Amino acid sequence: MRPERFTEQAKEVLAASQSIASRYHHVQWDVEHILLALLEQESGLTSQILEKLGANVEALKKRVEDSLERAPKATYESAQIYATPRIARLMDNAAREADRLKDDFISIEHLLIAIMVEDKGEAAKILKEFGIEQEKIYQALQDIRGGHRVDSPTAESRYRSLQKYGRDLTELARQGKLDPVIGRDDEIKRVMQILTRRTKNNPVIIGE
């Protein structure tokens, strides 16, 4: 499959998974290596999905590591790693999933869903042990992705951008954490003046 079809984060995961295979002295690159790479990706989409589903990511990671530890190891140092037929099926399933969701690139979520539908080997079985199901992943994705499509190599970075970079004023008001606005007419007018400009290139400073 063409590398340019994958998002940057997906490419990072695939490269990391091959490094994991070398780390465990495996000469065969398999689906479990990709699953562990997904789980090890810092602040990655996989962790967000699994945490939303209430899964214990650290315990899941340990379970995958134990599975890889039991897999046959090479008795000699090999510079080359060979992809198993399961990897080929995984890539095909990920591409089909991207097409089904009308996404232009194969991203993290497509790899995770492809692992779920791969019925041979340990990866899907381990995910099911932790209560992860394909339909639940779709539900979590609907919330995380919102209306975004994977239409660029950096698409994952746009998910939940409001939660990452914004503040939910309605929720803060519910919690009684907003500063009072009564008697601050001048400040409010100034904020509105700045926010309604057609172009803005300065930070907005609100309050004292």
Side-chain angles (χ1 to χ4, degrees), residues 3 46 51-52 56 64 80 87 94 106 124 140 146 150 189:
T46 303
E51 283 167 6
K52 193 158 189 62
N56 185 326
V64 178
Q80 193 163 3
I87 288 286
I106 298 169
V150 185
K189 285 176 184 173

Side-chain angles (χ1 to χ4, degrees), residues 130-196:
F130 282 78
I132 311 300
E133 297 171 2
Q134 191 173 347
E135 194 55 42
K136 289 181 179 179
I137 293 175
Y138 286 133
Q139 290 168 7
L141 272 175
Q142 192 170 10
D143 180 52
I144 293 169
R145 274 178 60 155
H148 290 297
R149 287 177 55 246
V150 185
D151 55 5
S152 79
T154 57
E156 293 103 332
S157 63
R158 298 202 310 268
Y159 298 166
R160 309 199 85 177
S161 53
L162 281 177
Q163 289 87 336
K164 285 179 191 172
Y165 306 115
R167 297 172 68 200
D168 187 339
L169 297 180
T170 305
E171 183 57 32
L172 289 173
R174 284 196 192 102
Q175 297 171 12
K177 293 182 178 178
L178 283 184
D179 290 335
V181 294
I182 296 171
R184 303 180 73 185
D185 292 348
D186 290 342
E187 289 87 347
I188 294 169
K189 285 176 184 173
R190 180 63 177 149
V191 169
M192 293 304 297
Q193 182 185 39
I194 293 170
L195 293 178
T196 54

Side-chain angles (χ1 to χ4, degrees), residues 76-91:
Y76 56 91
E77 202 68 36
S78 174
Q80 193 163 3
I81 296 173
Y82 302 91
T84 66
R86 292 176 65 213
I87 288 286
R89 284 198 300 274
L90 176 78
M91 297 303 173

Side-chain angles (χ1 to χ4, degrees), residues 48-72:
Q48 290 179 43
I49 292 170
L50 298 181
E51 283 167 6
K52 193 158 189 62
L53 297 179
N56 185 326
V57 178
E58 285 305 314
L60 178 53
K61 194 187 299 183
K62 179 71 167 61
R63 178 72 177 80
V64 178
E65 288 170 345
D66 291 343
S67 171
L68 288 172
E69 200 63 57
R70 292 193 302 271

Side-chain angles (χ1 to χ4, degrees), residues 2-14:
R2 304 189 318 275
E4 61 270 18
R5 180 81 203 275
F6 294 88
T7 63
E8 289 178 6
Q9 287 192 24
K11 282 191 264 191
E12 286 171 10
V13 162
L14 295 178

